[in-house]
Amino acid sequence: MAAPNIVILTGAGISAESGLGTFRDEGGLWAQHRSEDVATPEGFARNPSLVVEFYNTRRAQAAEATPNAAHAALARLQAEHEGSVTLVTQNVDGLHEKAGHRDVIHMHGALDGALCAACDHRWTAQLVMEVGMTCPSCAAPTARPDIVWFGEIPYHMERIEDSLAQADTFVAIGTSGNVYPAAGFVQLATMVGAHTIEMNLDPGENVSLFAEARAGTASETVPAWVEEVLG
Ligand code: OAD
């Protein structure tokens, strides 16, 4: 039998043990900031300094953070599994890459990216962005963090849906199942007959849609699952 094609979705919970806060857990980012203020195009138009500062802080935290055992296990899975391994992340922290994972699909953008709000050109963000930085392509003073905000369309959806259509196994790790379209991937995977597993500290909103749920910290559940897959 051919080795299974695996599609993995990660969320903020996989980076919690690397010291990065999640969004919706107690004391999480959305308890400290209103998402309408710092994660919408309207919030950016109203108060660009607040938004740029919010992502500067997060970029600095991510730059200091190191991957944990869960990131490392997924990188090992990619290196050693015979079937395909597609990693889709909602995270913007770059920890999968630091763990050695290649070709990570960043559906919500990345902290190390800058985007021109005028011409859509993208480039590597400097550690500290400022309001009104100019775009290296069109020279407009319209640089912003390359993060997908609420009301914007996530990146790489066609590629993600193509991978889900071929999936034999779909695993969601450390995501609360609140934000679509990511929260609906389990349904797409189920439709093509994939086995679906949720790995979370607390069950996500959409846990009932998964065939299997494994509770625990990502640094425990993910390496154990990778061992199982690699046999
Ligand atoms: P959430 O903060 O909504 O959910 C984090 C999940 O991780 C929860 O289900 C926790 O139970 C779980 N968790 C916490 N610590 C964990 C650990 N050590 N091991 C395993 N699981 C753990 O974060 P996301 O689901 O990633 O979007 O949020 C999705 C999107 O909403 C984000 O990409 C962001 C946010 O608004 C934008 O900013 C556009």
Side-chain angles (χ1 to χ4, degrees), residues 11 18 22 27 46 49 65-66 71 88-89 95-96 115 128 141 147 155 162 168 182 186 202 215-216 227-228 231:
S18 294
T22 65
R46 269 196 310 273
S49 315
T66 50
H71 298 102
V88 182
T89 189
L95 289 184
H96 286 300
L115 165 71
V128 181
I147 303 287
Y155 296 148
D162 285 350
D168 299 303
V186 58
D202 301 312
E227 274 301 327
E228 258 172 56

Side-chain angles (χ1 to χ4, degrees), residues 11-13 16-17 22-25 30 90 108 148 150 174-176 179 200-202 216-218:
E17 291 164 88
T22 65
F23 296 94
R24 295 176 183 79
D25 291 308
W30 294 159
Q90 299 166 91
H108 287 172
V148 176
F150 289 103
T175 176
S176 63
V179 177
N200 233 356
L201 198 53
D202 301 312
T217 59

